[in-house]
Amino acid sequence: MAGKRILLVIAGGIAAYKSLELIRRLKERGASVRAVLTKAGAEFVTPLSVQALTEDTVYRDLWSLTDESEMGHIQLSRDADLLVVAPATADLLARMAAGMADDLAATVLLATDKPVLVAPAMNVRMWEHPATRANMALLESRGVLRVGPNDGAMACGEYGAGRMAEPMEILEAVAAFFARANAPEPPAGRPLAGRRALVTSGPTHEPIDPVRYIANRSSGKQGHAIAAALAELGAEVTLVTGPVRIPDPPGCSVRAVETAREMLAACEAALPADIAVCAAAVADWRVAGSSDRKLKKGAAGPPALTLTENPDILATLSRAGERRPALVVGFAAETGDVVEYATAKRARKGCDWIVANDVSPGTGTFGGDENTVHLITADGVEPWPRLGKDAVAARLAGAIAARFTGNIPAEETA
Ligand code: C5P
């Protein structure tokens, strides 16, 4: 966020004191911060504190001759990369939703053509009131971004949702916004036209008997997004997917399979391909000698399942000799020491790139919409910011296209 210009609107809530900390944190990261303080906001933090921390004039009055002569409210609203409203009170959210311009903060928020991030802060009943819910929903439908509020004890003695997000959380939301905004544009046109891509996605189901199976929590969101992103860049994509509850991605030929062995067979049938991306969470083991009749409860107690190893699709494609795709990309879902394990995995599997992510409990990666990954190539490790799975897919497809169009230094290719 170095060099980014933030316009911070501080409205009147007890959480305003946290905004002083937020200013410091934003400046530590190299952003410049300019502040608008509402009349009510100035009841909670002094203009002097805000001014000292921002090292800039504090803008407070729509009708101030000095403020307006230095910088008009229209210019103030445009001279920023992001507007952050923290705390965003129920009153200010209502005025924003209604399009009012009855003070400098509301006017700036109405006049801006820049993205707005709000950090709501209010009593739990105010937050849960249908009026506030409707205002927030309307603002979000217009593209306003939101961080928090959190649950917790409130200054008014009640407990519930309404506490403003902590300064570090707001900082992370700002950083995530700029990471998304800075993600490279996908190459123009259809740079992968004429290339064939094979993508695996989703879990596999390994039968125990005709009604029971062993599975895992993969949703298929990341693999499907990659298939869609490659198709968007012009590739002819075959998606081999295990059982998922998400729609087929547009523009791809989809082969639905259940087991690892079926997935391998479908992948081999899809060769030759220029690109293989193995994003499926393939079960490592299957039940040896699974029953073709439903196992019954009985006096003998529960059956003992013997597991046997499944074929490794990624390793098989990576070592497919003449039929090996020119670029083979694997995934590594780890729960700690992500980069070390993934680097070792790249060598062990024989693939060119590994997209490594942390699936530890609490990261929300499995089934969630966001992912924090490292791209590991022959050239080293490239950490990517936290991105939506669609943005990870677009960025990966962009890197793949660059690899094929020679649009990157040779040493970066595997
Ligand atoms: O060994 P591990 O399962 O962690 O490796 C993950 C990578 O290997 C993923 O790209 C996954 O799609 C692929 N894989 C595979 N076949 C297997 C196991 C994993 O293609 N049987």
Side-chain angles (χ1 to χ4, degrees), residues 48-397:
L48 193 59
S49 315
V50 178
Q51 182 161 323
L53 288 167
T54 58
E55 300 170 284
D56 199 344
T57 312
V58 184
Y59 296 87
R60 298 173 60 195
D61 191 354
L62 188 55
W63 310 115
S64 155
L65 289 176
T66 45
D67 284 5
E68 281 289 312
S69 63
E70 275 172 27
M71 165 141 355
H73 56 269
I74 303 292
Q75 195 189 344
L76 188 59
S77 75
R78 311 272 167 89
D79 242 14
D81 299 301
L82 177 69
L83 276 66
V84 178
V85 187
T89 56
D91 173 70
L92 183 52
L93 291 174
R95 289 188 288 134
M96 287 168 73
M100 290 172 70
D102 52 349
D103 70 357
L104 181 62
T107 306
V108 158
L109 287 160
L110 189 62
T112 191
D113 57 357
K114 296 294 161 36
V116 177
L117 169 73
V118 298
M122 66 199 72
N123 165 274
V124 56
R125 300 265 168 264
M126 294 167 79
W127 174 246
E128 283 172 0
H129 195 286
T132 308
R133 309 307 325 213
N135 289 334
M136 192 67 244
L138 182 60
L139 291 169
E140 284 181 294
S141 74
R142 292 180 191 150
V144 168
L145 306 165
R146 169 163 72 90
V147 52
N150 296 338
D151 282 0
M154 328 212 80
C156 53
E158 288 186 67
Y159 188 93
R163 280 172 65 91
M164 187 169 89
E166 294 302 320
M168 289 309 281
E169 291 174 273
I170 302 175
L171 190 73
E172 286 313 317
V174 172
F177 165 78
F178 285 119
R180 282 193 296 274
N182 292 342
E185 289 287 312
R190 294 167 65 80
L192 289 175
R195 303 281 180 185
R196 287 168 59 98
L198 163 63
V199 179
T200 71
S201 183
T204 62
H205 285 183
E206 306 297 335
I208 297 170
D209 66 18
V211 295
R212 306 181 178 96
Y213 56 83
I214 298 175
N216 61 64
R217 295 185 192 281
S218 167
S219 63
K221 284 181 184 171
Q222 187 64 82
H224 279 51
I226 290 166
L230 289 169
E232 186 140 314
L233 297 190
E236 189 189 317
V237 180
T238 301
L239 171 67
V240 180
T241 175
V244 294
R245 291 160 185 263
I246 56 175
D248 287 351
C252 305
S253 309
V254 180
R255 309 267 183 277
V257 298
E258 294 216 341
T259 67
R261 287 187 296 174
E262 288 168 9
M263 188 173 274
L264 176 60
C267 286
E268 287 181 326
L271 294 180
D274 304 288
I275 302 150
V277 180
C278 292
V282 183
D284 290 320
W285 308 287
R286 66 179 181 278
V287 177
S290 62
S291 171
D292 46 18
R293 303 185 60 167
K294 185 183 173 196
L295 299 176
K296 296 278 187 211
K297 268 195 277 191
L305 300 180
T306 307
L307 301 180
T308 184
E309 201 139 322
N310 263 332
D312 190 314
I313 299 164
L314 174 61
T316 307
L317 293 174
S318 298
R319 303 208 162 88
E322 279 184 0
R323 288 166 70 76
R324 184 193 195 276
L327 180 68
V328 181
V329 183
F331 272 69
E334 308 287 354
T335 53
D337 298 329
V338 174
V339 170
E340 287 89 313
Y341 282 126
T343 306
K345 188 165 291 175
R346 177 175 170 271
R348 198 169 63 246
K349 304 256 187 178
C351 59
D352 303 300
W353 297 356
I354 284 264
V355 181
N357 59 353
D358 190 343
V359 293
S360 305
T363 58
T365 300
F366 260 128
D369 290 325
E370 291 198 324
N371 212 346
T372 311
V373 307
H374 293 80
L375 179 65
I376 295 162
T377 69
D379 193 43
V381 178
E382 202 181 287
W384 289 5
R386 188 160 185 81
L387 295 168
K389 288 183 176 173
D390 285 344
V392 168
R395 191 160 166 163
L396 182 65

